[in-house]
Amino acid sequence: MKPYFDLAIVIPVGPGTDPDFIIDTIRSFIHYTASSYKIILADDSQQGIGEEVKKSYPDIDVIRTNKSMGAMAGLYITLSMAFRHALEKYSFRLLLKLDTDALVIGSEPEREALELFEKRPEIAIAGQYPLDYEGKPWDVGWPRARIVNGTMTWKFIRRPVANVLLRKLYISALKHGYRTGESVFGGAYFMGHSFLKALYEHKYLPNQLLGKLNMGEDHLFALLAKALGFELGDLSTNGLPFGCAWKGLPASPEQLHRAGKKIIHSTRYWQEMKEADIRRYFSQQRQPAAQNIPAPVNA
């Protein structure tokens, strides 16, 4: 029987990532979660960064790529390998994907997600969706152009084999109400077990052809979700826990706390604050209950 966890946590690791920042993200999740969990690093660094982090947290799993997959659709390949590992090795309710510049800042960050997926099992992915932190619709122009170019213009011939699959998925997604280019923001999101199982059964964990497309991993997973008849879910509006932006924080650290946000992205900067400053601020918020945080082995 597979070991059971409430959550599988997948963190993709690219080249040049600071291991201390990864450890800080892991610490933040461990500090605030109320659930059982398994952490998996999807290591595409080619620099052994995942193994370096594992020295501090030996119980994490590290799934390494044999060669650099890179970003965009390459990240879809890297993540799919980790998602497949999670499905094959463990039983779990939800999967939480956290970028290395995502952070958990509030208690029980998984609570609303567990409730949402329990009530609505048709949801595949949920997070910062359908609006950005300012309440404006995400600009879907770039992914929409990639999909239209690959399926309905002469640019189809640039990747004919991959684009045949893209066209098939696109047609199926449209039948299920897909809005071309829509996605749940990729810096952090929850995925339902039913969706991951469907991806596995349809051999999309991974499908190497999709890795050849000029698309982001979050755009690809959203397209796959709609093509397979699933829905996308909101965990960001009306007081829900996600507070995410593409580059830098969407608001000041103090504002994010006051708003009750629990999962944020990106810690890279906020105005004049740099990543180390932002992480220090949120680390200090965890200090009153620091004795409850499992310490790294080498701390």
Side-chain angles (χ1 to χ4, degrees), residues 11-299:
I11 303 175
V13 178
T17 307
D18 188 331
D20 289 338
F21 288 168
I22 302 173
I23 289 171
D24 185 56
T25 291
I26 292 172
R27 280 177 174 167
S28 74
F29 168 78
I30 292 173
H31 177 75
Y32 286 114
T33 188
S35 299
S36 60
Y37 57 86
K38 183 67 182 182
I39 297 174
I40 302 168
L41 298 187
D43 188 359
D44 189 45
S45 70
Q46 309 301 306
Q47 297 169 349
I49 295 175
E51 293 298 334
E52 184 67 23
V53 174
K54 188 175 174 68
K55 292 177 183 178
S56 294
Y57 289 100
D59 287 342
I60 67 174
D61 292 357
V62 179
I63 307 303
R64 295 178 296 274
T65 55
N66 293 326
K67 62 179 181 179
S68 177
M69 297 291 107
M72 304 295 289
L75 181 54
Y76 152 78
I77 298 292
T78 300
L79 286 172
S80 291
M81 293 169 59
F83 295 169
R84 183 180 65 200
H85 171 85
L87 284 170
E88 290 177 344
K89 298 296 183 181
Y90 307 110
S91 175
F92 56 92
R93 295 176 65 186
L94 291 181
L95 183 145
L96 172 60
K97 182 256 191 178
L98 292 172
D99 277 357
T100 54
D101 55 341
L103 200 66
V104 177
I105 67 168
S107 297
E108 296 185 76
E110 70 279 13
R111 178 170 56 83
E112 291 88 348
L114 289 167
E115 292 172 357
L116 176 66
F117 283 85
E118 181 70 23
K119 293 177 182 176
R120 298 188 57 195
E122 75 277 10
I123 289 179
I125 314 167
Q128 187 76 44
Y129 169 90
L131 307 175
D132 66 15
Y133 189 79
E134 299 297 328
K136 301 174 183 177
W138 285 104
D139 182 0
V140 299
W142 188 87
R144 179 172 58 207
R146 303 285 80 73
I147 293 170
V148 171
N149 287 344
T151 59
M152 294 187 288
T153 74
W154 66 268
K155 294 181 180 180
F156 174 90
I157 63 176
R158 289 181 174 177
R159 304 175 182 87
V161 179
N163 282 333
V164 166
L165 176 56
L166 176 62
R167 180 182 290 174
K168 174 185 174 182
L169 292 170
Y170 182 40
I171 291 172
S172 179
L174 289 173
K175 292 178 180 178
H176 291 106
Y178 176 61
R179 184 169 62 94
T180 306
E182 70 173 326
S183 67
V184 176
F185 175 69
Y189 52 73
F190 284 96
M191 276 186 167
H193 188 274
S194 295
F195 173 55
L196 288 163
K197 185 177 178 182
L199 290 175
Y200 184 86
E201 291 173 347
H202 286 83
K203 302 188 186 305
Y204 288 127
L205 288 182
N207 183 301
Q208 296 297 330
L209 288 177
L210 295 179
K212 301 179 183 298
L213 296 173
N214 183 24
M215 294 177 62
E217 51 91 13
D218 47 353
H219 307 134
L220 275 172
F221 281 121
L223 177 64
L224 284 164
K226 298 296 286 192
L228 294 174
F230 287 85
E231 299 294 334
L232 307 179
D234 173 15
L235 280 171
S236 59
T237 66
N238 299 317
L240 288 168
F242 278 77
C244 299
W246 179 31
K247 294 182 178 180
L249 292 179
S252 72
E254 295 86 355
Q255 288 172 313
L256 291 166
H257 258 146
R258 285 198 299 269
K261 295 303 177 181
K262 301 179 182 181
I263 300 174
I264 63 170
H265 181 282
S266 159
T267 57
R268 296 294 176 86
Y269 61 85
W270 165 253
Q271 296 181 351
E272 300 303 315
M273 293 180 73
K274 299 187 182 300
E275 183 159 15
D277 301 319
I278 291 169
R279 288 183 177 276
R280 188 177 304 112
Y281 170 87
F282 286 114
S283 175
Q284 289 171 351
Q285 307 306 306
R286 303 195 297 263
Q287 292 311 307
Q291 67 272 17
N292 296 326
I293 307 175
V297 171
N298 297 331

